[in-house]
Amino acid sequence: YQGSQFGQHDVSPAYLADGRIVFLSTRPSGLVPCNNTGVAILHVMNADGSDMHPISVNNVNEFDPCPLPDGRVLFGRWEYIDKNALTIQSLWTGNPDGTMETALFANNMVFPEAILDARPVPNSRLIVGTFAKHNSTPRGSIAMIDPRRGKNNPGAIANFEHPDDPTHDLGDSCEPWPLSEDLVLLSGRPPGAKRNVLEMMDRSGQRLLLLSDPDICLHSPMLVKPRPRPLTIADTIDRKARTGRLLVQDIYEGLPGVRRGEVKWLRVLEETSRTSARTDGPNPYNQTFLVSSALAFSVKNFLGIVPVEPDGSAYFEVPAGRAVYLQALDTEGRLVQS
């Protein structure tokens, strides 16, 4: 491990429906591309600690895994691939075996910069979370999200503290525990207070003080009561396999402005994880090995080009355990969109 800190860290555990534990670990020894701190990604293990293995190959941090009622895992994911290098920390879902990893909300939104502490609301399709800044304390504003109203739609947000500014991500509130679609427990800071307290807040922003301490901040309120067990999703992968198969059903879905028939090829790329030792220097950019002047921190592996069928579909094989992404190319091999 070559980072600026020491050791490996296992954090943020949550029980799965089958009794296993999903958690974050820095064991792959990746480093944040613009820093020298360890990258924690999703892992699963049995309750006795056996069969520990990663279910993600993200090259930057993931956050706050939490099981959804349907058995999927909800988590935050720092999206650093050929985008703004700062602000995309969005919500994703995936199965406990690592399959079906899918962006859920805000993966193409500048604000909120980060969505932390995400949890499902009981008896609802809504998700509650902390809207926070990218490189700051993990505090901000409490909001609920209805992803059915659009994966990148500010109209899907009900910001409890800033109803007229749904993507507002500043403040001292954090760690919401949802009671209903209209009520949450949280750690917050009343006007004029110096410490965070435990509060209850409703959708209109009204707050009720539950517990305070003049000497320390209070955090992480939660209900200690039985809750319905989520569904169990059986593992479907062969963890010994060295390749996997990808099906693109229709490349034109989600590419507004791209004419059908324009995309002829897909370039398959791998985003590598930075594991090299740090380089010393006072400037943040001296911490890493830059490969361009445009904030491209990671070396890409070119895995190949595959044809796109007239109906927009493509089917191809890729190496297993790699962070792959796709680039749509036109007839002459020019990039249409990543």
Side-chain angles (χ1 to χ4, degrees), residues 71-185:
R72 292 177 299 160
V73 177
L74 172 69
F75 63 99
R77 183 180 187 275
W78 186 0
E79 175 60 84
Y80 221 164
I81 300 176
D82 294 352
K83 288 187 177 183
N84 183 316
L86 298 177
T87 62
I88 306 297
Q89 294 181 15
S90 52
L91 294 183
W92 287 62
T93 61
N95 292 342
D97 63 359
T99 58
M100 299 300 291
E101 188 176 78
T102 305
L104 180 71
F105 188 73
N107 201 49
N108 281 307
M109 296 174 68
V110 175
F111 298 105
E113 292 186 357
I115 304 177
L116 308 176
D117 310 318
R119 294 185 179 92
V121 176
N123 304 311
S124 172
R125 297 289 186 92
L126 303 185
I127 302 295
V128 70
T130 303
F131 285 11
K133 303 309 289 184
H134 163 76
N135 268 343
S136 184
T137 51
R139 295 174 175 170
S141 301
I142 304 302
M144 286 189 182
I145 302 163
D146 185 352
R148 295 171 298 176
R149 300 188 62 185
K151 287 189 172 187
N152 297 285
N153 177 18
I157 300 168
N159 194 311
F160 280 29
E161 299 177 78
H162 304 276
D164 298 327
D165 186 8
T167 62
H168 192 97
D169 55 10
L170 296 169
D172 283 300
S173 300
C174 57
E175 297 154 345
W177 188 277
L179 304 178
S180 71
E181 291 187 349
D182 300 307
L183 196 63
V184 295
L185 302 174

